Amino acid sequence: MRSAPTILHLDMDAFYASVEQASKPSLRGKAVIVGGLGPRGVVATASYEARRFGVHSAMPMAQARRLCPNGAYLIPRFRLYQAVSELVMGLLRELSPLVEPLSLDEAFVDLEAGGVAFDSVTARATGERLRADIAAATGLSGSVGLAGSKMLAKVASEEAKPAGLLLIEPGTERELLAPMTVRTLPGVGPVTGEHLRRAGMTTVGDLAEAGEDELVRMLGRSHGVGLHRMALGLDDRPVVAERDAKSVSVEDTFDIDLHDRVRIRGEVQRLADRCVQRLRASGHSGRTIVLKVRRFDFSTLTRSETLRGPTDDPGVVREAAARLLEGVDTTGGVRLLGVGVTGLADYTQEDLFAQASVTLGAEDAGGGPDAAGESDVRDGSDGAAGVRGADGVSGVAAPGGAGAAEPERTAPGDPAAPRPSHHAAGADAGGASGRHWAAGSDVRHAVYGPGWVQGSGVGRVTVRFERPGSAPGRVRTFRVDDPELEPADPLPLVGEEGAQAP
């Protein structure tokens, strides 16, 4: 614990949804839900307007549509989110060399290490200046927490939401934490929270009063000691600028269970190629290939094959994944497939063909193993891809059609960031043309300029033509195979191109 509140935690407000509202003027002030649009889609982020209807992250998209039938439902645009995130992280790095990103929209900053804050006054001034700089650079709002520890800074930013700043003065931690629910503390999930509730502990103050011995008796030494320290506001973890990745993975959830073995093999090959793209983009190679299969009954199996040395060769990964698939019974159907690489290194060994030392293992798990790169919030995500950090936080993430959940972190400048996949239920098959127009995706018309897809069906696609910074634009409908309508890259949220009137 520090004697001055010089650890800053930034959390952008409803990041994905806010980016969509900023880039689509007609959606400002309206309920926006970003995620997978298929029947197995999952909400990635909901705007504050949508949250009033009870919509929240990780909720099944079908449930969100029932709660908020008039909301705008859009696919994620991770390339744009990544670009905006880089602007924000750049501003943080101007404050200090010690910036610890937790996701695209969240990070800790050690202000003292950067020499920009040494007490409450300078810390508050730095936080307010950061919020103003973020608004000027992106047009978005972020919430800032300032405290003497990482845990308290994160608590402060949560309390400051939306678009606020809260500074916790050293010495006031216990008073602030005491009335808060036990779920406020890191590591207290639904199961632990219910266990504590049955013991009569519902607030952080209850945990502090219970004492370390009682919490150790209930939860075990490691968890009990740590939880008691946090209840007292004690946290000595430093801000760490770099975290080593443990694995790279890619997975898809399918709107309809796959039964055709040939189709399943083809999907595994496609996932292996995407996984290698991400592996190379992260600057790694890997030694263990992992296949993940979630079957029709939600049972999840994993198989792994360990090579004699690390590789980033797509042929090696494809062949290993294919061999692993041969040992999996897909009778009854498959709803999710994933390919991952673990045992990461920064070098490769080229002559790995037919040199695999096979280690097979099966795991019946509802959420899958770390090697598969899936967190609970990603259940049902299509096209989710991750680099998992040493602390277990999923990293690099990519959009998908069926249900992309909010990812933790995306690699800057990732060339493998995908486009909406062919599984996207929000995309219209487009008749014979086969063109896909997913709701929310960027387009450009030869006559009307840039716009975004509001929806498509029965051979037609509806587009609203507007830019960031413009007035709400007009809506026009075209045939899905209109030769003058093409997919486009997102426009910047702030800048001359984005501000021009359509």
Side-chain angles (χ1 to χ4, degrees), residues 379-428:
D379 253 357
S381 69
D382 177 286
V387 171
R388 187 169 290 271
D391 59 357
V393 177
S394 290
V396 177
E406 186 163 350
E408 296 295 339
R409 190 174 177 183
T410 298
D414 184 357
R419 296 153 186 82
S421 81
H422 61 280
H423 301 297
D428 182 12

Side-chain angles (χ1 to χ4, degrees), residues 1-332:
M1 288 290 296
R2 298 184 178 184
S3 59
T6 54
I7 292 181
L8 179 147
H9 180 260
L10 171 71
D11 196 352
M12 300 296 290
D13 299 322
F15 184 53
Y16 296 174
S18 295
V19 170
E20 297 299 339
Q21 289 177 320
S23 65
K24 299 174 172 66
S26 58
L27 297 183
R28 292 170 188 161
K30 298 181 180 179
V32 173
I33 300 93
V34 179
L37 304 184
R40 291 175 178 171
V42 175
V43 175
T45 306
S47 68
Y48 287 100
E49 295 84 357
R51 295 180 191 185
R52 298 192 189 107
F53 293 87
V55 180
H56 57 77
S57 298
M59 172 182 286
M61 191 63 77
Q63 181 181 357
R65 289 184 185 274
R66 289 193 296 270
L67 293 172
C68 187
N70 296 321
Y73 290 83
L74 310 173
I75 62 165
R77 296 187 294 163
F78 282 93
R79 285 185 182 275
L80 178 57
Y81 307 153
Q82 178 181 308
V84 176
S85 174
E86 280 301 298
L87 289 175
V88 174
M89 295 301 164
L91 292 173
L92 297 183
R93 293 186 182 99
E94 291 178 5
L95 298 178
S96 173
L98 293 183
V99 175
E100 182 179 338
L102 303 179
S103 64
L104 285 175
D105 61 336
E106 184 181 3
F108 288 110
V109 184
D110 187 333
L111 300 180
E112 186 175 328
V116 295
F118 302 96
D119 56 21
S120 298
V121 174
T122 53
R124 183 181 296 276
T126 300
E128 293 290 5
R129 186 170 66 253
L130 173 64
R131 293 179 59 243
D133 290 345
I134 290 172
T138 68
L140 305 178
S141 67
S143 297
V144 170
L146 293 157
S149 71
K150 290 168 69 172
M151 182 199 76
L152 291 170
K154 185 171 175 61
V155 168
S157 68
E158 285 295 321
E159 292 294 305
K161 281 186 169 294
L165 181 149
L166 177 63
L167 184 148
I168 299 178
E169 291 283 359
T172 67
E173 297 90 355
R174 291 191 62 176
E175 180 182 355
L176 176 77
L177 290 172
M180 294 183 177
T181 172
V182 294
R183 293 288 302 276
T184 301
L185 300 180
V188 180
V191 175
T192 302
E194 178 60 21
H195 189 43
L196 292 170
R197 186 194 67 79
R198 289 200 206 111
M201 303 178 197
T202 58
T203 67
V204 176
D206 293 336
L207 299 181
E209 293 178 7
E212 181 180 298
D213 291 343
E214 177 63 14
L215 293 179
V216 168
R217 185 189 67 79
M218 292 178 59
L219 305 173
R221 171 152 297 279
S222 178
H223 197 19
V225 171
L227 196 58
H228 186 252
R229 283 180 55 82
M230 287 190 290
L232 297 177
L234 303 177
D235 177 18
D236 297 323
R237 293 174 300 156
V239 176
V240 180
E242 297 294 336
R243 295 180 296 169
D244 293 332
K246 282 188 172 180
S247 68
V248 175
S249 62
V250 179
E251 63 186 38
D252 275 353
T253 296
F254 306 98
D255 290 343
I256 300 174
D257 290 350
L258 302 185
H259 296 269
D260 184 355
R261 188 73 177 187
V262 174
R263 169 77 186 281
I264 293 172
R265 280 197 294 267
E267 292 295 337
V268 168
Q269 299 297 290
R270 182 178 61 85
L271 289 167
D273 288 341
R274 283 173 50 197
C275 184
V276 170
Q277 284 182 307
R278 294 210 163 261
L279 187 67
R280 290 178 169 178
S282 68
H284 291 93
S285 58
R287 187 164 178 257
T288 300
I289 314 304
V290 179
L291 175 71
K292 175 178 176 182
V293 180
R294 177 166 297 156
R295 299 187 290 192
F296 69 99
D297 59 357
F298 285 88
S299 63
T300 303
L301 303 178
T302 62
R303 298 289 188 268
S304 63
E305 176 175 312
T306 298
L307 309 173
R308 291 184 181 178
T311 184
D312 64 354
D313 187 302
V316 173
V317 177
R318 279 197 302 267
E319 289 187 8
R323 286 192 296 270
L324 294 170
L325 179 63
E326 292 306 312
V328 177
D329 180 11
T330 58
T331 303

